[in-house]
Amino acid sequence: MTTAAVEPPGPWQTATVVQVRQETPTAKTFNLKVFASRAGQHFIVRLTAPGGYRAQRTYSIATAPSGSPEIEITVEILPGGEVSGFLREAVEVGDVLKVRGPIGGHFAWYRQPALGVAAESGIVPVMSMLRHARVLGQPDLFHLL
């Protein structure tokens, strides 16, 4: 992985939920219709309550860049988590979320040989990089430990 300048996150945009998948008892993957660019980047998801209260959290992109207008984020459901709890309990296919991104360049993967080391929810951006190497037809460029 190489270091690159971090681009500003850009304006808030809408992302439509096109699929929800339960991964484990404490993790769900949300397929969102919104563009992404580099493996290892992330989006901020912002929720606004009817009274105006806002909560936001950052979630890594789990999919490889493909030019498709869809990405996946995998969310660890935390006990008492404002955003993860709402995503688990209330978000369904067809819902629209406010997102900002893609963000990040310091930990993005730029198609150079690399070894990713990750555990628990930290595996999400590394999986994006691994999947990207496979999409490129060069699985030996990125290994996961």
Side-chain angles (χ1 to χ4, degrees), residues 20-121:
V20 178
R21 187 173 64 249
Q22 187 79 41
E23 299 288 359
T24 71
T26 61
K28 273 189 174 180
T29 294
F30 298 86
N31 189 310
L32 306 176
K33 191 169 189 177
V34 66
F35 281 98
S37 58
R38 293 188 183 103
Q41 289 186 309
H42 60 276
F43 275 87
I44 300 169
V45 175
R46 180 176 73 187
L47 305 174
T48 304
Y53 174 76
R54 291 183 176 162
Q56 62 187 39
R57 297 294 179 270
T58 299
Y59 295 106
S60 296
I61 299 167
T63 45
S66 66
S68 166
E70 293 182 10
I71 63 155
E72 289 182 349
I73 58 170
T74 299
V75 177
E76 180 180 13
I77 311 303
L78 300 173
E82 287 181 306
V83 177
S84 68
F86 179 82
L87 292 174
R88 176 190 64 217
E89 298 298 328
V91 173
E92 298 175 349
V93 171
D95 288 347
V96 174
L97 301 173
K98 283 289 193 182
V99 299
R100 194 168 185 198
I103 303 168
H106 289 296
F107 299 104
W109 180 62
Y110 295 93
R111 301 179 189 170
Q112 298 174 353
L115 173 65
V117 180
E120 298 186 13
S121 63

